[in-house]
C-alpha cells in the first residue's frame, strides 16, 4: 500500500465522514488495527479533528 499525501487523506476522510453521516458506513478501521470497530461519537470526532488539521495545512476546506 502506498502512502497517502495530505490531499488524498483529506479526500478519503471527507468520503468516510459523509458515509458515516449518511448511515452507509457503520464501522471503521480505527488506528489501522485492521479490525473494524463500530462508529462512535469519539472516533467520528477524531476523524473530524484530523480533517480540520489537514484543511489548515492545505489552506482550504476541501470543498
Amino acid at each position: 500500500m502506498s502512502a497517502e499525501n495530505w490531499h488524498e487523506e483529506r479526500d478519503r476522510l471527507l468520503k468516510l465522514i459523509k458515509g458515516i453521516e449518511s448511515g452507509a458506513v457503520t464501522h471503521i478501521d480505527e488506528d489501522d488495527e485492521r479490525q473494524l470497530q463500530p462508529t462512535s461519537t469519539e472516533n467520528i470526532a477524531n476523524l473530524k479533528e484530523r480533517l480540520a488539521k489537514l484543511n489548515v495545512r492545505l489552506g482550504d476546506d476541501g470543498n
Side-chain angles (χ1 to χ4, degrees), residues 26-31 33-40 43:
T26 59
H27 289 71
I28 60 172
D29 179 12
E30 192 172 0
D31 299 324
E33 293 178 3
R34 295 184 180 228
Q35 182 176 2
L36 293 178
Q37 303 294 321
T39 56
S40 68
N43 58 29

Side-chain angles (χ1 to χ4, degrees), residues 13-26:
L13 289 175
L14 281 169
K15 285 181 185 179
L16 180 58
I17 292 168
K18 287 179 183 179
I20 291 168
E21 290 174 343
S22 74
V25 174
T26 59

Side-chain angles (χ1 to χ4, degrees):
M1 185 169 136
S2 66
E4 290 179 308
N5 66 39
W6 289 341
H7 289 278
E8 292 167 337
E9 182 181 2
R10 180 183 59 195
D11 293 346
R12 179 180 57 80
L13 289 175
L14 281 169
K15 285 181 185 179
L16 180 58
I17 292 168
K18 287 179 183 179
I20 291 168
E21 290 174 343
S22 74
V25 174
T26 59
H27 289 71
I28 60 172
D29 179 12
E30 192 172 0
D31 299 324
D32 295 325
E33 293 178 3
R34 295 184 180 228
Q35 182 176 2
L36 293 178
Q37 303 294 321
T39 56
S40 68
T41 55
E42 182 180 335
N43 58 29
I44 294 168
N46 290 340
L47 292 172
K48 288 181 177 182
E49 180 180 329
R50 176 65 182 154
L51 180 59
K53 287 178 183 178
L54 288 168
N55 286 337
V56 169
R57 286 182 182 161
L58 295 169
D60 61 35
D61 65 4
N63 293 322

